[in-house]
Amino acid sequence: MLTRWWGSRPAAARDREFALVFTVLSFVAPLSRIGAQFGGLPTHGTSVASVLLTLGQTLPLAVRTRWPAACLAVTGASFAVYECLGLPPTFGSLGLYIALYSAGAHQDRFRHVVPLAATGGYVVFGVALYALDSPEDLTDCLLYYLVLAVVWGLGVLVRGRREQEAERRRLSAQVAIGAERSRLARELHDVVTHHVTAMVVQAGAAQYLAESPDRLHEALDAINGTGRHALAELRFLLGVLEATGDSAPRERTPLPGRVPDLVEQTRAGGQPVELVEDGEQSAMAVGAQLTAYRVVQESLTNAVKYAAGRPTLVRLAHTPGWTDVEVTTAGTADGALVSAALPGGGPYVSGGRGLAGLRERVEMLGGEFAAGPRPQGGFRVHARIPSGGAA
């Protein structure tokens, strides 16, 4: 609980509190006499200078993550002067190690300049000790420099791991965004292609029913219902696109419609469709239900486009753990692909996204998908979908 609370606080606040506690500990016995010491010069008693220089090694830690280079500069200079004056050991001298680690872990600008400047400062420190007749020789200076370099290196290592984790999260976010865009593109394709095609076909047929008011009224009702279905699904998708953060819907998968309603809607547009359902449907995950619905929807859309007026059969076979969806459409007399969605029944040019999207949907759930022309003519789409599949 305490660790979670500490980690949730802003970095600046944590640094200030740490620096305050560290400063207090530097003047509390017995810790006040424990600390780093280098130079071997004769030790003098406690004085005002020792107090001020100790504060110079502890208080700068309050900005160790915000301005790590400045923190290291003040802390290192205070440490060097403290040792050159031969003042008694202090717990605050450990602030040099903390400042070095912080500079390695948090310095953003001039990351390659700071260690060079610190090395230059250490050389000046060594020359000053030599001028003051310090008993430390060159080997001692090099060993102490290696200790300081290791502390710096630990900070650099932590920084590298933090950057790798940030990059991993960024790439994961990009993959998630790409997957979401692909999913929304499939949904938009299914919604727009099916409903708009149905409305165009129904509107094209309605112009020939001016002399039959009853049938014209039914055709207009069918167009109205198709448009309402399209608006409802598009509103959901727009809500997903606009939702961000905590306002995003918890369930981002649209609830599927009912296959019988879809068949009836297509039949109302003039396409002869028959629905056969074998077995009882077991509990299916929303993703599996939506996939089965989209398979039927896309297949009926293609039937309206390519073989308007030709008999179409939709068969659903439910078994424990699986649902088989099969849609077969009879071919035209000459086998040509024509479309009632275009004036004069001209050739329909497809973008090819529908069946590819269906295959991707089904295979993502661990199912099987096949689509192609039948030997006796027409077209067949078959999908075997696991009931427990999740989108």
Side-chain angles (χ1 to χ4, degrees):
M1 183 66 69
L2 182 60
T3 303
R4 183 181 304 175
W5 171 82
W6 178 258
S8 64
R9 294 180 57 76
R14 294 200 305 266
D15 290 343
R16 289 193 299 267
E17 294 163 0
F18 175 80
L20 177 61
V21 173
F22 189 72
T23 299
V24 172
L25 294 178
S26 298
F27 294 98
V28 175
L31 291 178
S32 59
R33 294 295 179 178
I34 301 174
Q37 190 174 15
F38 184 75
L41 297 176
T43 303
H44 300 84
T46 303
S47 62
V48 176
S50 66
V51 174
L52 294 178
L53 290 173
T54 298
L55 293 177
Q57 298 175 71
T58 59
L59 293 181
L61 298 178
V63 295
R64 68 184 189 90
T65 57
R66 186 177 182 183
W67 297 312
C71 173
L72 176 60
V74 176
T75 303
S78 299
F79 176 83
V81 175
Y82 194 96
E83 297 302 320
C84 288
L85 293 179
L87 299 176
T90 173
F91 186 72
S93 61
L94 298 179
L96 173 63
Y97 302 123
I98 300 174
L100 271 171
Y101 170 85
S102 301
H106 300 290
Q107 182 65 32
D108 290 325
R109 301 180 60 187
F110 309 111
R111 281 191 296 166
H112 302 292
V113 176
V114 172
L116 295 178
T119 300
Y122 184 79
V123 171
V124 173
F125 175 51
V127 172
L129 290 178
Y130 177 78
L132 294 173
D133 296 327
S134 170
E136 307 288 355
D137 56 17
L138 181 61
T139 302
D140 296 327
C141 290
L142 291 176
L143 288 176
Y144 192 60
Y145 178 81
L146 289 177
V147 172
L148 299 178
V150 168
V151 175
W152 169 279
L154 289 176
V156 173
L157 180 62
V158 170
R159 177 190 179 88
R161 290 185 176 179
R162 187 170 61 243
E163 291 178 345
Q164 290 178 358
E165 178 64 18
E167 179 67 12
R168 185 191 65 80
R169 291 180 179 178
R170 185 186 68 83
L171 294 176
S172 298
Q174 287 185 345
V175 171
I177 291 173
E180 185 71 358
R181 285 177 176 173
S182 177
R183 187 183 74 87
L184 290 175
R186 291 195 303 268
E187 296 294 339
L188 285 171
H189 171 271
D190 293 338
V191 172
V192 174
T193 301
H194 174 78
H195 291 300
V196 173
T197 298
M199 292 171 67
V200 171
V201 171
Q202 291 163 359
Q207 64 183 330
Y208 300 106
L209 302 177
E211 297 179 357
S212 302
D214 293 339
R215 296 184 62 189
L216 178 60
H217 181 72
E218 293 178 358
L220 293 178
D221 283 344
I223 295 174
N224 181 51
T226 302
R228 290 180 180 274
H229 279 94
L231 286 175
E233 295 196 49
L234 288 175
R235 284 195 188 101
F236 176 88
L237 293 176
L238 289 175
V240 173
L241 288 172
E242 293 175 354
T244 57
D246 295 336
S247 64
R250 294 181 63 184
E251 178 55 71
R252 302 172 71 90
T253 302
L255 293 177
R258 297 179 66 251
V259 172
D261 295 338
L262 183 61
V263 170
E264 184 61 32
Q265 175 189 356
T266 306
R267 188 183 294 135
Q271 184 76 5
V273 184
E274 180 184 357
L275 174 63
V276 177
E277 191 166 1
D278 299 327
E280 294 186 2
Q281 178 177 329
S282 58
M284 294 181 67
V286 175
Q289 293 181 47
L290 180 61
T291 299
Y293 181 84
R294 293 303 191 203
V295 169
V296 176
Q297 185 182 58
E298 177 66 22
S299 300
L300 293 180
T301 300
N302 288 338
V304 172
K305 291 177 183 176
Y306 295 121
R310 311 300 295 182
T312 303
L313 174 64
V314 178
R315 182 184 296 276
L316 301 178
H318 304 291
T319 58
W322 296 89
T323 291
D324 285 272
V325 180
E326 184 181 45
V327 181
T328 56
T329 304
T332 58
D334 57 0
L337 297 179
V338 297
S339 174
L342 296 177
Y348 179 80
V349 180
S350 172
R353 294 176 57 90
L355 294 179
L358 290 182
R359 181 182 301 278
E360 183 178 350
R361 281 177 181 273
V362 174
E363 291 181 351
M364 282 178 61
L365 301 181
E368 302 172 0
F369 180 84
R374 299 190 303 167
Q376 63 272 34
F379 202 82
R380 174 180 179 268
V381 176
H382 176 260
R384 194 160 193 257
I385 305 169
S387 300

